[in-house]
Amino acid sequence: MDPLAIVMMIVAIVILWGGLIAAAIHLQRHPEED
């Protein structure tokens, strides 16, 4: 793999997992009410 592909893969992983972690933190601070 060329360096550009590795950088793009790392960026995609960070965006994906960062969003997931941000959503989990948001849900803990503001739990859904039924």
Short mmCIF file of all heavy atoms in Angstrom, two decimals:
data_model
loop_
_atom_site.label_atom_id
_atom_site.label_comp_id
_atom_site.label_asym_id
_atom_site.label_seq_id
_atom_site.Cartn_x
_atom_site.Cartn_y
_atom_site.Cartn_z
N MET A 1 0.86 -1.20 0.00
CA MET A 1 0.00 0.00 0.00
C MET A 1 0.89 1.25 0.00
O MET A 1 1.87 1.30 0.72
CB MET A 1 -0.89 0.03 1.25
CG MET A 1 -1.98 -1.02 1.26
SD MET A 1 -2.95 -0.95 2.78
CE MET A 1 -3.96 0.48 2.44
N ASP A 2 0.49 2.22 -0.79
CA ASP A 2 1.29 3.45 -0.79
C ASP A 2 0.93 4.30 0.44
O ASP A 2 -0.12 4.11 1.05
CB ASP A 2 1.10 4.22 -2.10
CG ASP A 2 -0.35 4.47 -2.46
OD1 ASP A 2 -1.21 4.08 -1.66
OD2 ASP A 2 -0.61 5.05 -3.53
N PRO A 3 1.81 5.21 0.79
CA PRO A 3 1.60 6.01 2.01
C PRO A 3 0.28 6.78 2.01
O PRO A 3 -0.35 6.93 3.06
CB PRO A 3 2.78 6.98 2.00
CG PRO A 3 3.82 6.32 1.18
CD PRO A 3 3.10 5.48 0.17
N LEU A 4 -0.15 7.27 0.85
CA LEU A 4 -1.40 8.03 0.79
C LEU A 4 -2.59 7.16 1.18
O LEU A 4 -3.48 7.60 1.91
CB LEU A 4 -1.60 8.60 -0.62
CG LEU A 4 -2.83 9.48 -0.79
CD1 LEU A 4 -2.70 10.72 0.09
CD2 LEU A 4 -3.01 9.87 -2.24
N ALA A 5 -2.59 5.91 0.72
CA ALA A 5 -3.69 5.01 1.05
C ALA A 5 -3.71 4.72 2.56
O ALA A 5 -4.79 4.65 3.16
CB ALA A 5 -3.54 3.71 0.27
N ILE A 6 -2.55 4.57 3.15
CA ILE A 6 -2.47 4.31 4.60
C ILE A 6 -2.99 5.52 5.38
O ILE A 6 -3.75 5.36 6.34
CB ILE A 6 -1.01 3.96 4.99
CG1 ILE A 6 -0.60 2.64 4.34
CG2 ILE A 6 -0.87 3.88 6.50
CD1 ILE A 6 0.86 2.32 4.48
N VAL A 7 -2.61 6.72 4.95
CA VAL A 7 -3.07 7.94 5.63
C VAL A 7 -4.59 8.05 5.52
O VAL A 7 -5.27 8.35 6.51
CB VAL A 7 -2.37 9.18 5.03
CG1 VAL A 7 -3.05 10.46 5.50
CG2 VAL A 7 -0.90 9.19 5.40
N MET A 8 -5.14 7.82 4.32
CA MET A 8 -6.59 7.91 4.14
C MET A 8 -7.31 6.87 5.00
O MET A 8 -8.37 7.14 5.54
CB MET A 8 -6.94 7.71 2.66
CG MET A 8 -6.50 8.85 1.78
SD MET A 8 -7.22 10.43 2.24
CE MET A 8 -8.91 10.18 1.76
N MET A 9 -6.74 5.66 5.11
CA MET A 9 -7.35 4.61 5.93
C MET A 9 -7.36 5.03 7.40
O MET A 9 -8.37 4.86 8.09
CB MET A 9 -6.57 3.30 5.76
CG MET A 9 -7.20 2.12 6.46
SD MET A 9 -6.30 0.59 6.19
CE MET A 9 -4.80 0.92 7.09
N ILE A 10 -6.27 5.60 7.88
CA ILE A 10 -6.19 6.05 9.27
C ILE A 10 -7.19 7.17 9.53
O ILE A 10 -7.88 7.17 10.56
CB ILE A 10 -4.75 6.49 9.61
CG1 ILE A 10 -3.82 5.28 9.62
CG2 ILE A 10 -4.70 7.23 10.93
CD1 ILE A 10 -2.35 5.63 9.74
N VAL A 11 -7.31 8.11 8.58
CA VAL A 11 -8.27 9.21 8.74
C VAL A 11 -9.68 8.67 8.82
O VAL A 11 -10.48 9.09 9.66
CB VAL A 11 -8.11 10.22 7.58
CG1 VAL A 11 -9.29 11.18 7.53
CG2 VAL A 11 -6.80 10.98 7.71
N ALA A 12 -10.02 7.71 7.94
CA ALA A 12 -11.37 7.14 7.94
C ALA A 12 -11.65 6.42 9.26
O ALA A 12 -12.74 6.56 9.82
CB ALA A 12 -11.51 6.17 6.77
N ILE A 13 -10.68 5.68 9.77
CA ILE A 13 -10.87 4.96 11.04
C ILE A 13 -11.07 5.95 12.19
O ILE A 13 -11.95 5.75 13.04
CB ILE A 13 -9.66 4.03 11.30
CG1 ILE A 13 -9.68 2.87 10.32
CG2 ILE A 13 -9.66 3.53 12.74
CD1 ILE A 13 -8.43 2.02 10.33
N VAL A 14 -10.28 7.02 12.21
CA VAL A 14 -10.40 8.01 13.29
C VAL A 14 -11.76 8.69 13.25
O VAL A 14 -12.40 8.88 14.30
CB VAL A 14 -9.26 9.05 13.18
CG1 VAL A 14 -9.54 10.27 14.04
CG2 VAL A 14 -7.93 8.41 13.59
N ILE A 15 -12.24 9.05 12.05
CA ILE A 15 -13.55 9.70 11.93
C ILE A 15 -14.64 8.75 12.41
O ILE A 15 -15.55 9.13 13.17
CB ILE A 15 -13.79 10.15 10.48
CG1 ILE A 15 -12.88 11.33 10.15
CG2 ILE A 15 -15.25 10.52 10.26
CD1 ILE A 15 -12.90 11.72 8.69
N LEU A 16 -14.56 7.47 11.99
CA LEU A 16 -15.59 6.50 12.34
C LEU A 16 -15.63 6.27 13.85
O LEU A 16 -16.68 6.41 14.48
CB LEU A 16 -15.26 5.18 11.64
CG LEU A 16 -16.41 4.50 10.90
CD1 LEU A 16 -15.84 3.69 9.76
CD2 LEU A 16 -17.17 3.60 11.83
N TRP A 17 -14.48 5.90 14.44
CA TRP A 17 -14.45 5.60 15.86
C TRP A 17 -14.65 6.85 16.70
O TRP A 17 -15.26 6.79 17.77
CB TRP A 17 -13.13 4.92 16.23
CG TRP A 17 -13.13 3.49 15.79
CD1 TRP A 17 -12.50 2.99 14.70
CD2 TRP A 17 -13.80 2.39 16.42
NE1 TRP A 17 -12.76 1.64 14.62
CE2 TRP A 17 -13.54 1.25 15.65
CE3 TRP A 17 -14.60 2.28 17.56
CZ2 TRP A 17 -14.05 0.00 15.99
CZ3 TRP A 17 -15.11 1.05 17.89
CH2 TRP A 17 -14.83 -0.08 17.11
N GLY A 18 -14.18 7.99 16.23
CA GLY A 18 -14.40 9.25 16.95
C GLY A 18 -15.87 9.58 17.04
O GLY A 18 -16.35 9.99 18.10
N GLY A 19 -16.60 9.38 15.95
CA GLY A 19 -18.04 9.62 15.96
C GLY A 19 -18.76 8.67 16.90
O GLY A 19 -19.69 9.06 17.61
N LEU A 20 -18.31 7.42 16.89
CA LEU A 20 -18.93 6.41 17.75
C LEU A 20 -18.72 6.76 19.23
O LEU A 20 -19.65 6.72 20.04
CB LEU A 20 -18.32 5.04 17.44
CG LEU A 20 -19.12 3.81 17.88
CD1 LEU A 20 -20.39 3.71 17.05
CD2 LEU A 20 -18.28 2.56 17.70
N ILE A 21 -17.51 7.15 19.58
CA ILE A 21 -17.19 7.50 20.97
C ILE A 21 -17.93 8.78 21.37
O ILE A 21 -18.47 8.87 22.48
CB ILE A 21 -15.66 7.66 21.13
CG1 ILE A 21 -14.99 6.29 20.99
CG2 ILE A 21 -15.33 8.30 22.47
CD1 ILE A 21 -13.49 6.37 20.85
N ALA A 22 -18.01 9.76 20.45
CA ALA A 22 -18.73 11.00 20.75
C ALA A 22 -20.21 10.71 20.99
O ALA A 22 -20.82 11.28 21.90
CB ALA A 22 -18.56 12.00 19.61
N ALA A 23 -20.79 9.82 20.20
CA ALA A 23 -22.20 9.47 20.37
C ALA A 23 -22.42 8.77 21.72
O ALA A 23 -23.40 9.04 22.41
CB ALA A 23 -22.66 8.56 19.24
N ALA A 24 -21.50 7.89 22.10
CA ALA A 24 -21.64 7.19 23.38
C ALA A 24 -21.54 8.16 24.55
O ALA A 24 -22.33 8.08 25.50
CB ALA A 24 -20.55 6.12 23.49
N ILE A 25 -20.61 9.11 24.48
CA ILE A 25 -20.47 10.10 25.54
C ILE A 25 -21.72 10.98 25.61
O ILE A 25 -22.23 11.29 26.70
CB ILE A 25 -19.20 10.96 25.31
CG1 ILE A 25 -17.96 10.09 25.54
CG2 ILE A 25 -19.20 12.18 26.23
CD1 ILE A 25 -16.67 10.77 25.14
N HIS A 26 -22.24 11.38 24.45
CA HIS A 26 -23.45 12.21 24.41
C HIS A 26 -24.64 11.48 25.03
O HIS A 26 -25.42 12.08 25.77
CB HIS A 26 -23.76 12.61 22.97
CG HIS A 26 -25.00 13.44 22.84
ND1 HIS A 26 -25.00 14.77 23.17
CD2 HIS A 26 -26.25 13.15 22.44
CE1 HIS A 26 -26.22 15.25 22.98
NE2 HIS A 26 -27.00 14.28 22.53
N LEU A 27 -24.75 10.18 24.74
CA LEU A 27 -25.86 9.41 25.30
C LEU A 27 -25.73 9.25 26.81
O LEU A 27 -26.73 9.23 27.52
CB LEU A 27 -25.93 8.03 24.64
CG LEU A 27 -26.83 7.92 23.42
CD1 LEU A 27 -26.73 6.53 22.82
CD2 LEU A 27 -28.28 8.21 23.78
N GLN A 28 -24.50 9.13 27.30
CA GLN A 28 -24.31 9.01 28.75
C GLN A 28 -24.68 10.32 29.44
O GLN A 28 -25.27 10.29 30.52
CB GLN A 28 -22.85 8.68 29.06
CG GLN A 28 -22.54 7.20 28.92
CD GLN A 28 -21.13 6.87 29.37
OE1 GLN A 28 -20.27 7.75 29.44
NE2 GLN A 28 -20.89 5.61 29.65
N ARG A 29 -24.36 11.46 28.82
CA ARG A 29 -24.65 12.75 29.45
C ARG A 29 -26.12 13.12 29.31
O ARG A 29 -26.66 13.78 30.18
CB ARG A 29 -23.78 13.83 28.82
CG ARG A 29 -22.32 13.69 29.20
CD ARG A 29 -21.55 14.89 28.75
NE ARG A 29 -20.14 14.75 29.13
CZ ARG A 29 -19.15 15.49 28.63
NH1 ARG A 29 -19.41 16.42 27.74
NH2 ARG A 29 -17.93 15.29 29.02
N HIS A 30 -26.74 12.71 28.20
CA HIS A 30 -28.15 13.04 27.94
C HIS A 30 -28.91 11.77 27.59
O HIS A 30 -29.15 11.50 26.41
CB HIS A 30 -28.26 14.04 26.78
CG HIS A 30 -27.38 15.24 26.92
ND1 HIS A 30 -27.69 16.28 27.77
CD2 HIS A 30 -26.21 15.54 26.35
CE1 HIS A 30 -26.72 17.19 27.68
NE2 HIS A 30 -25.82 16.76 26.83
N PRO A 31 -29.24 10.95 28.56
CA PRO A 31 -29.94 9.68 28.26
C PRO A 31 -31.31 9.92 27.65
O PRO A 31 -31.95 10.93 27.93
CB PRO A 31 -30.05 8.99 29.62
CG PRO A 31 -29.78 10.03 30.64
CD PRO A 31 -29.01 11.14 29.98
N GLU A 32 -31.70 9.01 26.78
CA GLU A 32 -33.03 9.13 26.14
C GLU A 32 -34.13 8.86 27.16
O GLU A 32 -34.00 8.00 28.01
CB GLU A 32 -33.15 8.12 25.00
CG GLU A 32 -32.26 8.43 23.82
CD GLU A 32 -32.49 7.45 22.68
OE1 GLU A 32 -33.47 6.69 22.74
OE2 GLU A 32 -31.66 7.44 21.76
N GLU A 33 -35.20 9.64 27.07
CA GLU A 33 -36.33 9.45 27.97
C GLU A 33 -37.45 8.75 27.21
O GLU A 33 -37.75 9.11 26.09
CB GLU A 33 -36.82 10.81 28.47
CG GLU A 33 -35.76 11.57 29.26
CD GLU A 33 -36.21 12.99 29.57
OE1 GLU A 33 -37.34 13.34 29.25
OE2 GLU A 33 -35.38 13.75 30.13
N ASP A 34 -38.06 7.74 27.84
CA ASP A 34 -39.14 7.04 27.14
C ASP A 34 -40.42 7.85 27.25
O ASP A 34 -40.89 8.13 28.28
CB ASP A 34 -39.49 5.69 27.77
CG ASP A 34 -38.28 4.91 28.23
OD1 ASP A 34 -37.48 4.55 27.39
OD2 ASP A 34 -38.20 4.67 29.44
#
